[in-house]
Amino acid sequence: MSKRRLPAFAETALYLALGLAATIAPLLPLAPGGRLMPPDLAWCLTVALVIRRPARLPFPAILAVGLLGDVLLSRPLGLGALGLLLLAEAFRNRAHLFWSAPFPLEWLAAAAAFAALLAAEHLALALVFAEPPGLALALRYLAATAIAYPLVVLGLVWVAGLRAPRLRDGGHHMARSL
């Protein structure tokens, strides 16, 4: 019994739809005046999909989701998209390392990469004399995103069945599964 897979264009369309939903989600007034920081669900979705389907998530789709997030969330235009794109490509090139690794290692790598992204954005804003967000706000954003990552992965695995490819004996990946 073989599992049927979505065509490449359908996976891209699904990513774009989920990316739009992930970008709009923090804008919903679910807890007005609350202290909860919404996570960057688009980041979590992108990294999780790039690790699980590195050949199926095209560069323009990632750029579109990043730019949409910059526009809708009033971030510096292109800065978040560039960071998302660069780190997604870094994860794409190293996706095979996570296929046989325990999930906590993937989770730690995603959280560390997001922390590096926030630090780079802070530095870029400081270089152009823009007021970067405070450290406490950035740490809350990092914590919320790190907590959300395993939930996003769990949703992708349970709902869409997007598991990471498995390595064969000897460490060779199954190229056809990409």
Side-chain angles (χ1 to χ4, degrees):
M1 184 167 120
S2 66
K3 288 188 174 184
R4 295 179 60 176
R5 296 184 55 172
L6 290 174
F9 73 89
E11 284 187 11
T12 302
L14 178 64
Y15 170 70
L16 290 171
L18 290 174
L20 175 64
T23 301
I24 292 174
L27 299 173
L28 298 175
L30 298 178
R35 293 189 173 260
L36 292 178
M37 174 65 69
D40 193 337
L41 295 174
W43 161 261
C44 296
L45 177 70
T46 301
V47 171
L49 282 174
V50 162
I51 289 174
R52 279 149 189 78
R53 298 288 185 266
R56 295 285 188 128
L57 198 54
F59 180 91
I62 297 171
L63 182 62
V65 168
L67 286 174
L68 181 70
D70 288 348
V71 169
L72 291 180
L73 300 175
S74 300
R75 299 187 296 214
L77 188 60
L79 186 59
L82 178 65
L84 178 67
L85 195 57
L86 291 175
L87 288 175
E89 291 304 312
F91 274 101
R92 184 187 318 266
N93 293 333
R94 292 164 185 82
H96 65 281
L97 298 175
F98 298 105
W99 294 346
S100 61
F103 178 74
L105 183 64
E106 175 186 336
W107 186 9
L108 180 64
F114 191 70
L117 174 67
L118 290 177
E121 286 178 355
H122 185 87
L123 179 64
L125 289 172
L127 286 174
V128 296
F129 302 109
E131 184 67 31
L135 182 61
L137 186 65
L139 289 176
R140 286 181 32 213
Y141 191 42
L142 172 62
T145 302
I147 290 168
Y149 184 77
L151 300 174
V152 169
V153 170
L154 187 64
L156 287 174
V157 170
W158 277 2
V159 175
L162 293 175
R163 295 186 180 278
R166 294 289 169 224
L167 294 179
R168 290 187 184 180
D169 294 334
H172 300 292
H173 67 62
M174 300 182 304
R176 290 200 172 117
S177 70
L178 300 177

